[in-house]
């Protein structure tokens, strides 16, 4: 199944230049390039790309519209299954999802599905193409906790069904990880995140920022006192993990969340914002996921020499492949099969280095993954004046602790079935709060499933007993 | 937006504001704090809730100008509005969980230093309303820097003042006065609470330990989000890392590693100095890293 047209390359900022600025790395396709790339799709009868997409976007169908230059038509096809296409086109791990299964990838390069999705979504935003319709109100109120991808997706679907939806967000800005975690150079805040949120608001969704559910209000008070018929919890997995090694509380040691929040949400990299950030001259980032790549590339842009320390090999890096590639191009050093054992401090309590041990991959465990084991006596020191821990996050326990009858599992995740129903009737949950740290597309999918379940719940139970308010 | 209903300067460097924040006022408890982001370009600044009025939907904050952001907050006037005010954050004071029976027989001594006097007020007021005997020590560098004297006197049994220079009340530190009250005057307390500069809380804890008196302290660490998401606020308590914003801000003083906490508080000192200069000169000079 060879395809004679090579994959259309996407234009990017030069690595040397982009390492000094926060502008978006990838320029994306223009209309001509998009049409050309769309022409490569074989329109398979049983498209493997669609089965590999967590929300089953009709990929060949939207690509067919792109091929004929009908970009608005393409946008309406995507909109059936995705409420955040400009974001997913930029941050989905396409290489393990749609593109990873594309038939063209067997012998050559898969169709650039992600870049096409991004093109369509950007075109649609700029040209005001396909727009979702606001439905007449059905009189029922639903509260959504958290304005990350799961909350936004849930809110917009409910609004399209006529619900009166309010999103409660703890921070001062909506977007969740899209706003505080993923950097500007990967996901522009005004052009993309704010526009997608604007589209959700245009459906009539209210977003109330500065409300910490569990403190300012509770799930119980929303249901019992404020007249909400159901609540969706999309509070994410924001609690940073540390390693528990000596020296972690030295000055100059940060969680990736802190470092990224200062830069993204608080815009510390800009001189016209007040929040400070300490970067140091030599930064070591511990971890191998998207969060580690983002922290390392942010530190690099702030002028630091940056090393990523990861305990397995390049093959196992959980980050999107494109980000790893970009990080390497930009000049970040990767120290693989390396694990920190101690952070070293100077007499004033500031970081001066990090002691690591060499690792090797041992026998495969039950899951088939070869787990890293330390090589005895191989300790060595890396000089550093700042260490950023990107070891993963878990759900914040606040909501579970303050909501009656809401069960969580051993890892602190809210227990919910495939439709998002929790142990408490009328309370639904989805996204990272349920799965632990995962992906934008899975969070969005969970939000949409829960919206459908909330609709069934309200029509089935509440509507019978409560007269619409 | 959160409107400032009233503002007054308590000293040239300390201002008191009532802010309209109805959801916050409805749920605030003694010991909790809030975060103010004065404007779009501002920092998120943690401040203790110094009083709350559920009927009128307001909360009171008392801010001391020590750097760029606190100065920015104090430059707002009644009728202006902050971009963001979020809370209540943190765990309410332990005694709010106690029943009247458990509070019976207790006698509290509060040790307030500088601007920390304002956060003490709602706690004293709460205990007083429950009939618990409460004494308060307020300490400041000199008489001109004392705040909340009348307010405090109206809700406590005995108010003791001390100043470093002796310009009012006992001459000396709060720790000296505490020792005097217990050792010389024979007062018996069941619980001490200290709120003020970290260094004061450290020494208050040392003194309380010497006197065999349990002590609670309220840690004013650096913070960013205040919701448990970043770990900027981490402190070592009882040998374990804790996040002050969600597990505190109040902790058992005996267990706190004050030296580490003080060191971490100074993390941005040189940069903050730059920020203050920028703020004062209203210009955008480059920031050192
Ligand atoms: C740095 C970084 C990079 C990433 N890169 C990628 C990537 O490239 N591709 C990808 O697919 N995924 C990536 N991820 C993961 C992805 O962002 C998350 O899986 C996704 O955002 C989860 O969405 P969510 O809606 O469940 O939660 P979140 O996006 O975490 O949003 C939760 C929201 O709820 C709010 N909240 C929490 N508690 C409360 C409360 N008590 N009351 C009110 N509000 C509350 C939070 O403030 C937050 O705004 C990345 C994550 C990080 C941190
Ligand atoms: C839970 C909590 C409650 C608080 N309550 C109050 C309150 O009711 N009233 C009030 O005036 N302040 C309070 N603070 C302290 C207040 O948040 C800080 O003074 C403020 O963040 C300093 O910001 P700045 O930009 O003005 O000063 P900066 O320029 O940031 O700091 C100036 C100097 O003060 C030091 N510093 C920075 N942060 C703190 C801090 N948290 N505590 C002590 N020194 C610090 C810096 O190292 C620097 O040397 C509280 C802090 C916390 C965490
Ligand atoms: S698998 Fe590839 S070629 Fe086939 S329909 Fe999907 S994108 Fe097109
Ligand atoms: S301030 Fe961010 S976790 Fe406490």
């Amino acid at each position: 199944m060879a395809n004679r047209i090579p994959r259309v390359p996407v234009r990017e900022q030069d690595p040397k230049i982009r390492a000094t600025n926060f502008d978006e790395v990838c320029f994306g396709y223009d209309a001509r390039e998009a049409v050309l790339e769309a022409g490569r799709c074989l329109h398979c009868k049983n498209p493997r790309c669609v089965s590999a997409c967590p929300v089953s976007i009709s990929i060949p169908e939207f690509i067919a519209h792109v091929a004929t230059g009908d970009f608005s038509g393409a946008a309406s096809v995507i909109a059936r299954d995705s409420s955040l296409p400009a974001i997913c086109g930029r941050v989905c791990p396409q290489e393990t999802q749609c593109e990873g299964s594309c038939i063209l990838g067997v012998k050559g390069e898969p169709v650039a599905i992600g870049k096409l999705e991004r093109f369509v979504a950007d075109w649609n935003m700029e040209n005001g193409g396909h727009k979702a319709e606001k439905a007449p109100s059905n009189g029922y109120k639903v509260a959504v906790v958290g304005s990350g991808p799961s909350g936004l997706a849930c809110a917009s679907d409910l609004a399209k069904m006529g619900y009166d939806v309010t999103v409660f967000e703890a921070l001062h800005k909506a977007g969740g990880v899209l706003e505080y975690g993923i950097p500007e150079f990967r996901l522009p805040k005004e052009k993309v995140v704010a526009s997608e949120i604007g589209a959700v608001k245009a459906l009539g969704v209210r977003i109330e920022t500065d409300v910490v559910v569990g403190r300012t209000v509770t799930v119980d008070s929303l249901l019992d006192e404020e007249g909400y018929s159901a609540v969706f919890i999309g509070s994410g997995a924001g609690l940073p993990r540390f390693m528990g090694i000596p020296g972690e509380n030295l000055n100059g040691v940060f969680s990736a969340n802190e470092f990224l929040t200062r830069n993204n949400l608080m815009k510390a990299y800009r001189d016209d914002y007040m929040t400070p950030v300490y970067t140091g001259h030599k930064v070591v980032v511990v971890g191998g996921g998207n969060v580690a790549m983002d922290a390392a590339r942010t530190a690099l842009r702030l002028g630091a020499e940056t090393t990523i320390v990861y305990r397995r090999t390049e093959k196992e890096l959980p980050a999107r492949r494109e980000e790893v590639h970009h990080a390497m191009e930009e000049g970040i050093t990767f120290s693989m099969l390396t694990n920190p054992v101690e952070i070293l401090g100077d007499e004033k309590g500031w970081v001066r280095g990090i002691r690591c041990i060499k690792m090797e991959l041992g026998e495969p465990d039950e899951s088939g993954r070869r787990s890293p084991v330390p090589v005895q006596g191989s300790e060595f020191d890396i000089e550093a004046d700042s260490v950023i821990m990107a070891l993963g996050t878990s759900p914040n326990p606040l909501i579970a602790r303050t909501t009656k009858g809401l069960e969580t599992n051993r890892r602190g995740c809210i227990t919910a079935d495939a439709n998002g129903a929790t142990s408490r009737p009328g309370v639904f949950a989805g996204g990272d709060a349920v799965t632990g740290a995962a992906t934008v597309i899975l969070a969005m999918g969970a939000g949409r499933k829960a919206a459908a379940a909330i609709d069934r719940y309200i029509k089935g139970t509440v509507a019978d007993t409560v007269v619409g308010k | 937006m959160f409107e400032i209903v009233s503002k007054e300067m308590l000293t040239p460097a300390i201002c008191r504001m009532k802010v309209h924040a109805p959801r916050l006022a409805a749920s605030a408890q003694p010991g909790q704090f809030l975060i103010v982001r004065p404007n779009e370009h501002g920092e998120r600044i943690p401040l203790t809730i110094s009083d709350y009025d559920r009927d009128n939907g307001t909360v009171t904050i008392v801010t001391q100008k020590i750097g760029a952001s606190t100065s920015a907050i104090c430059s707002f006037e009644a009728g202006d509005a902050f971009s963001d005010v979020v809370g209540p954050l943190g765990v309410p004071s332990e005694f709010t969980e106690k029943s009247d029976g458990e509070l019976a027989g207790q006698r509290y001594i509060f040790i307030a230093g500088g601007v920390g006097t304002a956060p003490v007020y709602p706690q004293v007021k709460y205990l007083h309303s429950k009939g618990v005997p409460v004494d308060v020590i307020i300490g400041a560098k000199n008489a001109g820097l004392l705040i909340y004297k009348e307010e405090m006197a109206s809700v406590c049994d005995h108010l003791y003042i001390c100043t470093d220079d002796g310009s009012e009340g006992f001459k000396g530190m709060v720790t000296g006065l505490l020792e005097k009250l217990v050792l010389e005057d024979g007062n018996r307390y069941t619980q001490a609470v200290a709120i003020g500069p970290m260094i004061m809380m450290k020494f208050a804890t040392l003194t309380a330990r010497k006197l065999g008196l349990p002590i609670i302290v309220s840690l004013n660490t650096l913070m960013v989000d205040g919701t448990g998401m970043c770990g900027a606020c981490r402190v070592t308590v009882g040998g374990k890392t804790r996040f002050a914003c969600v597990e505190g801000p109040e902790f058992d003083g005996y267990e706190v590693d004050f030296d580490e906490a003080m060191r971490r508080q100074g993390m941005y000192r040189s940069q903050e100095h730059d920020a203050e200069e920028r703020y004062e000169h209203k210009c955008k000079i480059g920031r050192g890293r």
Side-chain angles (χ1 to χ4, degrees):
Chain A
M1 281 252 192
N3 191 317
R4 270 165 293 127
I5 321 162
R7 177 162 158 140
V8 179
V10 69
R11 286 163 296 113
E12 290 172 347
Q13 268 200 78
D14 181 81
K16 281 206 190 64
I17 296 170
R18 71 178 192 240
T20 63
N21 69 44
F22 280 83
D23 300 337
E24 194 171 10
V25 168
C26 175
F27 295 123
Y29 285 151
D30 61 19
R32 191 190 59 83
E33 292 163 331
V35 171
L36 197 63
E37 178 63 20
R40 296 178 66 227
C41 174
L42 302 177
H43 304 285
C44 308
K45 272 236 166 54
N46 291 309
R48 309 196 333 181
C49 55
V50 177
S51 9
C53 171
V55 298
S56 310
I57 293 176
S58 303
I59 293 168
E61 190 184 342
F62 100 72
I63 293 182
H65 284 282
V66 177
T68 63
D70 173 16
F71 305 138
S72 178
S76 62
V77 171
I78 297 176
R80 291 204 306 254
D81 302 296
S82 171
S83 26
L84 307 166
I87 294 167
C88 292
R90 284 172 167 85
V91 305
C92 269
Q94 287 94 4
E95 73 274 12
T96 59
Q97 299 179 4
C98 54
E99 294 182 24
S101 295
C102 171
I103 195 77
L104 288 183
V106 177
K107 288 220 176 106
E109 289 262 50
V111 174
I113 303 168
K115 296 289 182 276
L116 288 174
E117 182 186 23
R118 167 186 163 154
F119 166 77
V120 169
D122 285 3
W123 183 92
N124 201 52
M125 271 191 301
E126 276 155 32
N127 297 277
H130 167 85
K131 247 204 215 101
E133 294 294 317
K134 186 169 160 175
S137 167
N138 68 12
Y140 291 104
K141 290 190 355 177
V142 179
V144 169
V145 181
S147 60
S150 67
L152 291 173
C154 184
S156 65
D157 273 17
L158 286 167
K160 284 183 214 157
M161 296 181 230
Y163 289 94
D164 177 358
V165 186
T166 304
V167 178
F168 295 98
E169 168 56 50
L171 296 172
H172 58 259
K173 212 145 182 217
V177 169
L178 310 175
E179 186 64 34
Y180 78 73
I182 304 181
E184 178 76 20
F185 56 80
R186 214 149 67 77
L187 186 62
K189 302 297 161 243
E190 274 308 308
K191 182 179 149 208
V192 181
V193 182
S195 309
E196 297 263 25
I197 291 172
V200 175
K201 284 190 187 158
L203 295 169
V205 171
R206 289 201 315 132
I207 301 185
E208 208 181 310
T209 50
D210 299 324
V211 176
V212 183
V213 175
R215 292 268 190 252
T216 320
V217 297
T218 60
V219 170
D220 290 279
S221 74
L222 291 172
L223 288 169
D224 302 343
E225 290 157 33
E226 297 202 27
Y228 289 93
S229 301
V231 176
F232 173 76
I233 303 171
S235 53
L239 201 73
R241 227 172 272 145
F242 287 90
M243 291 185 81
I245 57 174
E248 260 181 330
N249 287 350
L250 287 166
N251 286 10
V253 183
F254 308 97
S255 74
N257 262 12
E258 177 181 353
F259 186 69
L260 291 169
T261 299
R262 284 180 182 274
N263 275 292
N264 301 326
L265 181 70
M266 306 310 296
K267 309 229 179 314
Y269 69 92
R270 283 173 52 170
D271 271 342
D272 55 339
Y273 282 75
M274 306 277 286
T275 300
V277 63
Y278 173 82
T279 311
H281 299 288
K282 279 183 190 278
V283 177
V284 168
V285 178
V286 182
N290 286 318
V291 185
M293 300 303 138
D294 285 344
R297 295 171 71 199
T298 299
L300 178 92
R301 280 162 173 74
L302 292 170
E305 208 178 287
T306 309
T307 303
I308 287 181
V309 162
Y310 179 58
R311 63 198 180 111
R312 298 172 191 260
T313 70
E314 192 180 326
K315 229 176 52 219
E316 285 91 15
L317 280 170
R320 290 180 80 218
R321 200 190 297 148
E322 187 180 9
E323 310 312 330
V324 175
H325 170 70
H326 281 160
M328 288 179 171
E329 274 187 347
E330 287 164 12
I332 286 168
T333 310
F334 282 74
S335 183
M336 301 295 179
L337 287 171
T338 303
N339 206 29
V341 291
E342 181 181 355
I343 301 170
L344 310 167
D346 65 16
E347 64 288 350
K348 290 204 177 112
W350 280 84
V351 172
R352 67 173 172 83
I354 178 165
R355 179 154 301 160
C356 298
I357 188 160
K358 282 272 165 221
M359 308 292 277
E360 58 190 4
L361 291 185
E363 292 301 308
D365 58 17
E366 313 87 79
S367 68
R369 235 158 72 120
R370 296 177 64 192
S371 52
V373 287
V375 179
Q376 290 307 320
S378 66
E379 286 89 350
F380 66 103
D381 295 350
I382 305 177
E383 190 191 329
D385 51 7
S386 173
V387 172
I388 299 172
M389 293 292 185
L391 305 157
T393 51
S394 51
N396 192 318
L398 181 62
I399 293 180
R401 270 189 207 151
T402 53
T403 306
K404 281 181 227 137
L406 190 64
E407 280 171 21
T408 54
N409 67 17
R410 201 162 43 77
R411 294 179 301 140
C413 301
I414 298 173
T415 319
D417 68 14
N419 293 315
T422 67
S423 53
R424 169 94 186 262
V427 179
F428 296 75
D432 284 5
V434 168
T435 56
T439 59
V440 171
I441 190 81
L442 288 172
M444 187 196 81
R448 301 198 64 201
K449 277 204 182 122
I454 288 171
D455 182 47
R456 288 194 298 274
Y457 166 79
I458 292 181
K459 294 215 170 108
T461 52
V462 184
D464 294 339
T465 49
V466 183
V467 184
K469 38 148 283 347
Chain B
M1 299 293 273
F2 297 80
E3 197 192 330
I4 298 156
V5 181
S6 67
K7 175 195 178 182
E8 68 206 287
M9 298 304 297
L10 300 180
T11 76
I14 298 180
C15 80
R16 172 161 62 187
M17 290 165 166
K18 258 190 196 164
V19 185
H20 189 66
R23 281 194 187 280
L24 219 167
S27 45
Q29 297 275 357
Q32 291 186 297
F33 65 100
L34 49 73
I35 283 184
V36 173
R37 195 179 67 126
N39 53 39
E40 178 53 33
H41 290 210
E43 275 185 273
R44 293 171 64 96
I45 297 296
L47 297 166
T48 311
I49 300 168
S50 295
D51 206 356
Y52 43 86
D53 179 341
R54 304 210 203 279
D55 296 336
N56 291 309
T58 61
V59 289
T60 302
I61 51 173
V62 175
T63 313
Q64 177 169 31
K65 296 189 218 175
I66 63 158
S69 295
T70 42
S71 301
I73 288 175
C74 291
S75 72
F76 279 64
E77 299 298 337
D80 295 345
F82 293 130
S83 291
D84 302 278
V85 178
V86 59
L89 300 171
V91 183
S93 301
E94 209 182 4
F95 55 72
T96 62
E97 303 280 315
K98 290 190 173 155
S99 65
D100 292 354
E102 288 170 303
L103 286 173
Q106 300 280 315
R107 186 175 176 209
Y108 277 70
I109 174 85
F110 281 81
I111 303 147
V115 73
T117 312
V120 160
Y121 174 70
Q123 303 200 15
V124 175
K125 186 169 146 186
Y126 177 96
L127 287 168
H128 186 72
S129 76
K130 298 271 173 188
V132 179
V134 187
D135 288 358
V136 179
I137 298 175
I138 303 181
K141 281 210 179 69
N142 59 56
L145 298 177
L146 288 163
I147 58 169
Y148 266 75
K149 277 189 297 183
E150 290 81 37
E151 292 90 337
M152 205 70 84
S154 68
V155 292
C156 70
D157 295 83
H158 302 278
L159 176 64
Y160 304 98
I161 304 285
C162 67
T163 50
D164 294 359
D165 64 356
S167 49
E168 188 167 338
F170 177 88
K171 179 176 189 307
M173 309 275 194
V174 287
T175 44
L177 184 49
L178 175 64
E179 270 187 49
K180 175 180 171 297
L181 292 178
V182 174
L183 298 178
E184 290 175 29
D185 307 351
N187 287 290
R188 289 264 164 276
Y189 300 107
T190 55
Q191 179 72 51
V193 179
I195 306 183
M198 204 75 90
I199 187 84
M200 181 212 91
M201 294 190 283
K202 174 183 169 172
F203 284 100
T205 298
L206 289 174
T207 304
R209 192 194 283 276
K210 208 164 71 185
L211 301 172
L213 183 59
I215 184 165
I216 300 277
V217 296
S218 178
L219 299 183
N220 49 350
T221 60
L222 298 180
M223 289 188 183
V224 183
D225 58 298
T227 66
M229 191 185 87
C230 76
C233 60
R234 58 195 196 279
V235 286
T236 302
V237 179
K240 282 212 200 85
T241 295
R242 312 282 293 269
F243 287 10
C245 71
V246 284
E247 300 174 83
E250 299 190 344
F251 292 103
D252 176 351
Y254 289 3
E255 305 250 282
V256 173
D257 182 342
F258 284 104
D259 293 337
E260 178 188 281
M262 280 187 277
R263 187 193 78 218
R264 290 183 56 82
Q265 213 180 41
M267 196 153 3
Y268 291 93
R269 195 153 282 157
S270 55
Q271 283 180 55
E272 292 290 1
H273 183 69
D274 290 351
E276 194 172 0
E277 279 187 346
R278 277 209 312 279
Y279 178 76
E280 281 173 355
H281 303 317
K282 294 261 188 300
C283 72
K284 290 201 227 166
I285 44 171
R287 172 182 48 217
R289 295 191 186 104

